[in-house]
Amino acid sequence: MAQPIADRRDVDFVLHEQIGTVDHELFEQFNKKTVDLIVSEARKLAIKEILPTFKDGDEIGCTLENGKVTTPESFKRAWKLFCEGEWLAMCDDPEVGGQGMPRTVGCAALEYMVGANSAFMLYYGMTHGAAKLVEAFGDETQKKLYMKKMFAGQWGGTMLLTEPEAGSDVGALTTAATLNDDGTYTIQGTKIFISAGEHDLCDNIIHPVLARIEGAPAGTRGISLFLVPKYLVNEDGSLGEFNNVVCTGLEEKMGIHGNATCTLALGDKGPCIGTLLGEENKGMPAMFQMMNESRAFVGVQGFAVASAAYMNALDYARTRVQGRHLTAGKDATAKNVTIINHPDVKRQLLNMKAYTEGMRSLHYYYAKCEDIVHTTEDDALKANTAALIEVLTPIVKGYITDKALEVCSHGVQVYGGYGYCKEFPAEQLMRDSRIFMIYEGTNGIQAMDLLGRKLSMNNGQSFVYFLDQIRKTIIEAQKIEGLEVLFEKVELALDRYDVVAYEIGARARSEKVLNAYAFAHPFLEITGDIVFAWMHLWRACVAAPKLVEKVGSLDPEAVAAKVGKNKEAAFYAGVMASARFFINTLLPGSYGKMDAILEGDSCVEDILDVSFGSK
């Protein structure tokens, strides 16, 4: 199979033709040749080393014995090569062991690696996020002891928030921290659903732990953040005694079996020692840095798995022969054709293609926004772009992972009965993708965040800036011949959406607050639809002139005559087809949701517990 994870031509299109990288001295060494080499090396590692772990992770999984977790043997070689290639800190400052590459380029590399095995790459995601916490909030001792070894992948990392009685309601946690005479803290408590919480890929695992110091205020205001290593670390950086962080159970999950999802008992078997990371009672604001990075990474997981599902389904549809062409009629001599020739299969593939390409463009754009914030000296641009990142985060995490499951489901359907069997990867990709809608704040919480915070952030000016970016693309599309129907439909949808956003925002600040939040997730969905229409219109702005250059016009007959002989023409025609399909076929579905929000039926508020069904 030539393209088992991602469409390299589309990766290059988004990287070099649509989004591009930030022009800054920090990135001057990353010219097109260098970027292409990096993506090629990432693709090579993903296909040759990480992809072979995909089945092992699912079928062998992780095993727990005497508090120790063993990962599949193939994971160890893949992790070693991943770390030796310095991929873990590819976008980080060289001073901490990073490669300093643009985040857009890192996003392309991650797409291949995560698409190869999302469970395996969770070990990366947790470690990188924890290392960034140390970089941002650690004192000099903590940075010296932990940071570089974590960025190098010698030591792993996690994020310990959830407890049996404190899931999304983090403020209800009961893990306690008691101050010791030497300034350290004794940590006591139990954490559950901890990804990569215990494993044998690294010599040590550093756990950022949320806990409450004795006498601290109730709720999130009284939560502090601590660094708790699996093994204590001596002053010279060598490993000391076991720190009594014990894995007491592994979750039996629907998917991602290759990642150890642990229950961890801290301090049950003896003293468990942690050091304060940042300030007392400021643990939640600090942890939100890792949570926001993790939300973006979960979006990458959804997108990369969707991309892999699409590429596998596309390959299967091009080779699976079944049924005669619909136009063959009663011709008994007509030969069977590959299933990609059947209209309903083409519809499903085009659905997968349109969503996957929208995901890719949005993720790379999101990454470029991060690069802008990191490099610009324009204070207004920095503030507006940082706010834009916040507005887009619920879409990157919530909408993308919703649609990733849908894409994977279409993938199963394209395979037919075989898609439901383990012989092909479609069913595992679908199982693995289901957790992404729950990770790092469920998608319902992402919807509440979009409505309750992002819509009104900075007195609504950040949301206005977001809408203005879409309108800029519409204005650009107006200058390009052949895009009239597309930009008009996006403009009409955006105008309608603007009305809906104002109405539901006002409702959320009124006595109808419950009604507003009953429609929070539909509002997230239509926001995602608008953003993807924006991305596809933007893609079409780039592709249409280049298709005209290759073909001479956008006339369907002229295009059809050329694409079979010219790969570039075929690619740009595919970009245009995705844009047409999304804007003309999928986007109109948003109008019904927008009408429902404006009508504001109170059914969700009105129905009582007893009316859902018998107990």
Side-chain angles (χ1 to χ4, degrees):
M1 186 186 297
Q3 301 253 17
I5 300 170
D7 185 336
R8 177 62 189 270
R9 181 63 186 89
D10 198 64
V11 169
D12 291 343
F13 171 78
V14 178
L15 264 182
H16 299 306
E17 299 175 68
Q18 183 194 8
I19 305 297
T21 56
V22 170
D23 183 12
H24 191 273
E25 61 182 15
L26 284 177
F27 304 138
E28 59 187 2
Q29 62 180 308
F30 295 97
N31 55 34
K32 184 179 185 300
K33 182 178 180 181
T34 302
V35 168
D36 288 344
L37 179 61
I38 290 169
V39 176
S40 294
E41 286 301 308
R43 182 177 182 273
K44 179 180 176 182
L45 178 67
I47 293 173
K48 291 191 174 182
E49 303 295 343
I50 300 177
L51 189 58
T53 70
F54 178 71
K55 272 293 184 184
D56 286 354
D58 192 54
E59 296 176 357
I60 299 172
C62 297
T63 56
L64 173 65
E65 187 174 353
N66 298 323
K68 305 296 182 183
V69 170
T70 301
T71 58
E73 196 62 32
S74 59
F75 276 39
K76 297 171 181 60
R77 171 180 166 82
W79 182 258
K80 179 175 180 291
L81 293 172
F82 175 78
C83 294
E84 286 178 351
E86 298 182 344
W87 294 104
L88 200 147
M90 56 185 147
C91 297
D92 294 289
D93 195 315
E95 289 188 5
V96 300
Q99 297 190 53
M101 69 176 65
R103 286 164 177 79
T104 46
V105 181
C107 193
L110 280 179
E111 176 181 351
Y112 278 105
M113 295 172 183
V114 175
N117 187 349
S118 63
F120 171 82
M121 286 300 290
L122 255 175
Y123 296 101
Y124 149 80
M126 302 312 297
T127 299
H128 185 267
K132 294 298 285 185
L133 275 182
V134 178
E135 182 182 26
F137 301 103
D139 59 32
E140 290 307 310
T141 299
Q142 290 169 326
K143 290 179 181 179
K144 179 181 177 181
L145 290 179
Y146 300 120
M147 194 167 61
K148 286 192 176 182
K149 288 186 178 180
M150 295 176 75
F151 277 129
Q154 297 173 30
W155 293 354
T158 62
M159 178 168 56
L160 273 60
L161 284 78
T162 307
E163 299 182 6
E165 303 302 325
S168 299
D169 182 13
V170 180
L173 64 77
T174 60
T175 298
T178 304
L179 181 63
N180 300 317
D181 292 339
D182 62 357
T184 63
Y185 289 80
T186 298
I187 311 296
Q188 181 81 39
T190 299
K191 300 288 185 177
I192 63 171
F193 297 154
I194 307 304
S195 297
E198 160 62 23
H199 57 84
D200 57 354
L201 299 178
C202 305
D203 296 331
N204 201 4
I205 302 174
I206 313 304
H207 304 284
V209 179
L210 289 181
R212 196 182 313 279
I213 299 172
E214 290 182 277
T220 56
R221 293 186 303 110
I223 293 177
S224 299
L225 181 60
F226 301 87
L227 283 184
V228 179
K230 175 181 174 180
Y231 291 98
L232 294 173
V233 181
N234 299 318
E235 290 185 5
D236 63 358
S238 62
L239 296 183
E241 298 178 353
F242 179 63
N243 196 25
N244 294 299
V245 181
V246 179
C247 179
T248 59
L250 282 180
E251 299 299 333
E252 295 290 337
K253 306 186 296 290
M254 177 179 178
I256 60 163
H257 299 150
N259 193 269
T261 307
C262 304
T263 297
L264 296 180
L266 291 78
D268 278 6
K269 303 291 184 180
C272 176
I273 304 300
T275 55
L276 184 68
L277 183 62
E279 300 178 41
E280 286 187 16
N281 303 332
K282 298 290 181 65
M284 279 306 294
M287 187 60 92
F288 261 110
Q289 172 180 297
M290 184 172 180
M291 290 174 68
N292 282 332
E293 177 180 327
S294 295
R295 285 170 178 169
F297 179 68
V298 172
V300 172
Q301 289 180 295
F303 150 52
V305 169
S307 175
Y310 170 55
M311 298 312 295
N312 279 282
L314 178 62
D315 182 74
Y316 184 79
R318 282 173 166 164
T319 56
R320 171 66 166 164
V321 176
Q322 182 153 330
R324 293 180 298 172
H325 198 280
L326 196 63
T327 60
K330 297 181 180 180
D331 182 1
T333 64
K335 294 182 179 181
N336 285 355
V337 297
T338 52
I339 63 174
I340 199 171
N341 289 281
H342 301 317
D344 191 58
V345 174
K346 289 179 73 175
R347 174 191 63 82
Q348 291 183 85
L349 289 171
L350 195 47
N351 188 299
M352 298 173 79
K353 181 178 189 291
Y355 276 119
T356 299
E357 290 172 358
M359 292 175 190
R360 180 174 292 116
S361 290
L362 177 56
H363 263 295
Y364 288 30
Y365 176 67
Y366 186 91
K368 185 175 183 178
C369 287
E370 292 182 315
D371 284 333
I372 291 171
V373 172
H374 180 59
T375 59
T376 186
E377 295 179 1
D378 183 328
D379 291 340
L381 178 61
K382 182 188 288 285
N384 285 329
T385 307
L388 180 60
I389 290 171
E390 290 207 53
V391 172
L392 289 175
T393 295
I395 312 306
V396 165
K397 192 280 173 186
Y399 182 82
I400 281 181
T401 58
D402 278 348
K403 296 307 176 183
L405 182 68
E406 185 178 314
V407 169
C408 289
S409 180
H410 279 302
V412 171
Q413 194 73 14
V414 169
Y415 276 90
Y418 284 118
Y420 201 65
C421 300
K422 290 182 178 292
E423 180 179 351
F424 292 96
E427 62 86 29
Q428 184 185 335
L429 289 167
M430 186 172 177
R431 285 187 289 106
D432 285 352
S433 73
R434 185 57 185 85
I435 187 60
F436 305 147
M437 300 163 70
I438 299 171
Y439 272 157
E440 301 308 327
T442 66
N443 287 358
I445 290 175
Q446 302 306 311
M448 293 170 68
D449 177 54
L450 177 65
L451 173 59
R453 197 167 77 85
K454 304 304 172 57
L455 195 59
S456 58
M457 191 168 61
N458 298 325
N459 294 318
Q461 291 307 303
S462 297
F463 202 78
V464 170
Y465 184 80
F466 156 65
L467 297 179
D468 285 346
Q469 305 317 299
I470 303 175
R471 290 195 174 94
K472 286 179 181 178
T473 302
I474 293 172
I475 292 170
E476 185 64 28
Q478 292 172 354
K479 304 173 186 176
I480 300 172
E481 187 176 351
L483 299 186
E484 293 83 5
V485 172
L486 297 185
F487 80 69
E488 287 172 1
K489 289 187 176 181
V490 175
E491 188 171 33
L492 284 171
L494 183 64
D495 289 344
R496 181 70 164 169
Y497 171 77
D498 201 355
V499 172
V500 172
Y502 179 84
E503 164 60 26
I504 196 171
R507 200 181 302 169
R509 297 187 299 274
S510 73
E511 70 280 358
K512 295 183 178 181
V513 59
L514 292 180
N515 182 271
Y517 281 93
F519 287 97
H521 193 272
F523 181 67
L524 173 70
E525 288 183 305
I526 63 172
T527 306
D529 290 343
I530 293 292
V531 169
F532 270 41
W534 169 28
M535 290 295 126
H536 277 292
L537 184 62
W538 187 355
R539 291 167 62 91
C541 286
V542 178
K546 295 190 177 185
L547 184 57
V548 170
E549 182 182 312
K550 300 292 181 184
V551 175
S553 76
L554 295 178
D555 176 72
E557 291 187 5
V559 171
K562 190 73 172 181
V563 295
K565 305 171 185 176
N566 187 305
K567 287 185 177 180
E568 285 297 281
F571 171 76
Y572 291 123
V575 173
M576 295 300 297
S578 295
R580 287 173 53 202
F581 182 77
F582 192 91
I583 294 169
N584 293 336
T585 304
L586 298 178
L587 181 61
S590 295
Y591 281 96
K593 295 172 189 173
M594 287 193 268
D595 288 345
I597 292 172
L598 290 173
E599 182 179 342
D601 184 87
S602 61
C603 183
V604 173
E605 305 146 75
D606 295 343
I607 187 170
L608 301 177
D609 179 352
V610 292
S611 297
F612 276 100
S614 59
K615 293 184 178 180

